[in-house]
Amino acid sequence: MNTDEIYIQRCLALAKLGNGYVAPNPMVGSVLVYNNEIIGEGYHQKFGEAHAEVNCINSVSKKNQEKIKNASLYVSLEPCNHFGKTPPCTNLIVEKKIKRVVIGCQDFFNQVNGKGIEFLKSKNIDVVTNVLEEECINLNKRFFLFHQKQRPFIILKFAQAANKKIAYKTNDRLFISNDITNKLVHKWRSEESAILIGTNTALQDDPYLTNRNYSGKSPIRLVIDKQLCLPKSLNIFNTDTTTIIFNTKISEELENIKFVKLNESFSVIQQILNYCYQHQIMSILVEGGAKLLQSFIDEQIWDEARIITNTSLIIKEGINAPNFYGRKIKTENILSDNISYYLPA
């Protein structure tokens, strides 16, 4: 790994600290290096607040201010060159007379998409691009897909017994995964904008759908309840986070609950995805039952899947897991649980 890659690697580590807080913006990290010494570093901490480059430059101590103009600025994503909720980062780079900028990957968002790089080059700044490009793109895969496909990044998740049953045929709740795996699932929730379930899961499991066993912001709860049959005593209606109920009856907005009316003539999934795109909900963790998961699989609308298998559990009479197919990219074991990660085939 060369010097530029080492510092972009640090940018990536910083960028991840904004996970769960910056969406619908991308995660970005930045470091300022003078004579192989980091004199400033920062990351985009919260949507609507200062970008990584600004926080990085502002972190430089008074004694090192004179070094800025002779330092190299490293940033995991192309600096913006447009006015959004904050001014263009490129203007600050020029103002500080920084002579060299190293960029992990280009920002394919229409308002950026190479314009930041072009602007910096027009100011006679030495710009190096595509350093650890694949890693930088992968970090913001949700952001890029959201703008390219105009829909949220979809992650399917379900737990199954060793014989591929996901629930009892009765209404009794079944706990398949162990406590350590459950904590990992709560970490997954903290990384996504929203979590989606259907009516039966809400009724039978009465889940909270929060990441209460892990730090960070809980996702928005998305629930399909076409006939509005779910009692308000369920945990999904508490004030821990926002709940959006997709139904065929009403459109109404309360303090922490929104009712969104669906058109019965169109695909429920497509309407949910359109709503999420319009409201800047960038990613969805689908944790519903077999029917809801199968709908996403059949319509080929998913980007990643995580399947937890309890290898020591057998359910004689149960509901079958979804008819799933994909390309396995990774597996890990947590006690009796085997977790397989998939991408579309």
Side-chain angles (χ1 to χ4, degrees), residues 176-189:
I176 295 178
S177 50
N178 62 53
D179 289 344
I180 300 174
T181 303
N182 286 338
K183 190 167 184 178
L184 175 61
V185 170
H186 283 228
K187 177 181 182 292
W188 292 346
R189 290 177 179 178

Side-chain angles (χ1 to χ4, degrees), residues 325-342:
Y325 50 91
R327 177 167 57 90
K328 187 185 293 188
I329 58 168
K330 186 175 73 170
T331 60
E332 61 182 323
N333 294 303
I334 302 177
L335 300 178
S336 60
D337 290 344
N338 174 274
I339 306 174
S340 298
Y341 297 81
Y342 293 86

Side-chain angles (χ1 to χ4, degrees), residues 18 80 101 112 114 123 125 156 166 184 197 206 263 281 298 336:
C80 64
V101 177
V112 186
K123 299 300 180 180
I125 294 172
L156 308 180
I166 66 169
L184 175 61
I197 62 168
D206 192 17
N263 187 326
I281 298 173
D298 291 345
S336 60

Side-chain angles (χ1 to χ4, degrees), residues 224-228 246-251 260-272 299:
I224 301 172
D225 181 18
K226 291 184 181 179
Q227 304 303 318
L228 293 180
F246 293 96
N247 68 95
T248 60
K249 305 290 186 181
I250 61 171
S251 287
V260 176
K261 188 175 180 180
L262 300 172
N263 187 326
E264 295 184 75
S265 301
F266 298 99
S267 162
V268 170
I269 289 177
Q270 288 295 343
Q271 289 181 80
I272 292 173
E299 294 194 33

Side-chain angles (χ1 to χ4, degrees), residues 6-143:
I6 290 170
Y7 291 125
I8 289 294
Q9 191 72 54
R10 176 58 183 162
C11 290
L12 288 169
L14 289 166
K16 291 174 184 177
L17 298 176
N19 198 1
Y21 297 97
V22 301
N25 280 354
M27 294 175 279
V28 186
S30 181
V31 298
L32 197 62
V33 180
Y34 176 81
N35 282 352
N36 289 322
E37 178 188 355
I38 293 177
I39 61 172
E41 59 181 28
Y43 65 96
H44 185 30
Q45 298 179 12
K46 188 177 180 181
F47 176 68
E49 295 184 359
H51 288 185
E53 301 93 319
V54 176
N55 287 331
C56 174
I57 292 169
N58 287 344
S59 74
V60 179
S61 64
K62 287 184 179 180
K63 70 175 183 178
N64 285 327
Q65 286 292 313
E66 283 299 315
K67 297 177 181 177
I68 293 177
K69 62 185 178 182
N70 293 312
S72 293
L73 179 70
Y74 291 82
V75 59
S76 56
L77 186 68
E78 176 183 3
C80 64
N81 190 44
H82 66 283
F83 282 89
K85 289 187 175 294
T86 60
C89 293
T90 51
N91 286 0
L92 179 62
I93 294 169
V94 172
E95 176 190 323
K96 294 296 183 179
K97 300 180 180 179
I98 295 171
K99 296 179 175 63
R100 184 172 185 264
V101 177
V102 181
I103 297 168
C105 70
Q106 184 172 322
D107 186 344
F108 302 109
F109 179 45
N110 286 337
Q111 288 184 289
V112 186
N113 202 15
K115 298 182 182 71
I117 293 170
E118 290 175 11
F119 179 81
L120 293 175
K121 287 181 176 179
S122 74
K123 299 300 180 180
N124 295 318
I125 294 172
D126 178 21
V127 180
V128 179
T129 59
N130 301 335
V131 178
L132 297 184
E133 181 184 25
E134 185 177 346
E135 291 91 330
C136 292
I137 290 174
N138 187 62
L139 175 69
N140 283 305
K141 58 189 177 184
R142 296 161 181 80
F143 173 80

Side-chain angles (χ1 to χ4, degrees), residues 16 20 78 117 148 154 195 241 259 278 341:
K16 291 174 184 177
E78 176 183 3
I117 293 170
Q148 289 168 351
I154 303 299
I195 183 170
T241 187
F259 294 90
Q278 292 165 10
Y341 297 81

